[in-house]
Amino acid sequence: MEYKRGVLRLPFHALRHRMLHFVQNLQYYMMLEVIEPSWQELSSKMQQVTNVDDVLKLHNEFLSSCLKDCMLTDPELLDVGHKMLVQCVRFSNFLQVVTDERGDAGKMLRRFDSKFSNLLLALLNKITNTASYHLNLRNLVYRLDFNGFYTEKLEHLTAEKSMRSERDSSGI
């Protein structure tokens, strides 16, 4: 399948939009729902500080809170989030070099789409199943899965896995 004007334009733009939606919402969540409120809390607590030790304690609390709420302390969430961002960069680089002569553009698009979708599903699944599931992370899940599309995919995959495991255990 060649990358001709209009033939693959919609799928390329759809995936680019999904990736952009993820990056923008991740940035929004980290800046406006984690860092900004934590900074406001730090600023208000700094008004009562009497010595340098109190400043250091408050600053460490601020950093710990931000790191935890930004999913930077959970290695599994950090790994999936990093892989998703790397996938977005790779797709961006791919789009910059794709030309009319590339016959594998459709194949590459399907590979990027599949990888990104699987990583996003894994991230949403890890966030919702993490024991330290923080209330702020729920907002990120709602923003990323605003219409329930990924929740339906996750439920479908879970049902498929359970059917497969039942079939394997019964020897069919």
Side-chain angles (χ1 to χ4, degrees):
M1 190 183 314
E2 290 184 17
Y3 180 71
K4 294 181 181 175
R5 184 177 295 277
V7 174
L8 289 177
R9 177 180 242 156
L10 184 61
F12 275 101
H13 288 291
L15 179 57
R16 182 182 57 86
H17 179 72
R18 287 179 41 227
M19 288 179 169
L20 185 61
H21 179 261
F22 167 74
V23 171
Q24 286 175 335
N25 279 284
L26 183 64
Q27 179 185 12
Y28 171 88
Y29 166 76
M30 289 181 173
M31 292 300 298
L32 297 174
E33 293 188 27
V34 175
I35 296 172
E36 182 63 29
S38 296
W39 179 259
Q40 294 299 324
E41 183 180 338
L42 174 68
S43 295
S44 68
K45 287 181 178 179
M46 289 293 285
Q47 303 301 321
Q48 291 95 28
V49 169
T50 58
N51 58 44
V52 175
D53 290 334
D54 290 343
V55 172
L56 291 173
K57 181 182 175 212
L58 288 175
H59 187 256
N60 282 335
E61 289 172 2
F62 166 76
L63 292 176
S64 295
S65 172
C66 288
L67 288 172
K68 181 180 181 283
D69 291 345
C70 287
M71 303 177 292
L72 299 174
T73 58
D74 185 331
E76 291 180 4
L77 289 174
L78 182 60
D79 184 50
V80 175
H82 177 260
K83 287 178 181 176
M84 290 188 70
L85 293 171
V86 167
Q87 194 68 12
C88 292
V89 170
R90 285 181 180 159
F91 184 69
S92 175
N93 292 339
F94 167 73
L95 286 179
Q96 290 177 3
V97 298
V98 73
T99 63
D100 289 345
E101 291 84 29
R102 284 187 70 97
D104 61 347
K107 180 179 165 186
M108 290 296 292
L109 172 65
R110 286 187 296 279
R111 189 179 313 151
F112 276 114
D113 191 12
S114 174
K115 181 79 171 171
F116 180 78
S117 294
N118 290 336
L119 287 169
L120 184 55
L121 286 171
L123 179 70
L124 293 173
N125 193 33
K126 284 186 190 306
I127 289 173
T128 56
N129 293 330
T130 299
S132 62
Y133 184 50
H134 194 273
L135 185 60
N136 281 350
L137 289 176
R138 190 175 303 160
N139 292 336
L140 178 62
V141 171
Y142 290 144
R143 292 183 68 78
L144 293 176
D145 191 24
F146 65 94
N147 63 357
F149 176 76
Y150 295 108
T151 303
E152 287 180 23
K153 271 190 159 184
L154 213 55
E155 289 170 356
H156 179 71
L157 288 173
T158 304
E160 267 184 18
K161 285 180 183 177
S162 68
M163 287 176 57
R164 232 181 287 135
S165 66
E166 287 176 14
R167 190 177 32 208
D168 292 345
S169 65
S170 66
I172 297 178

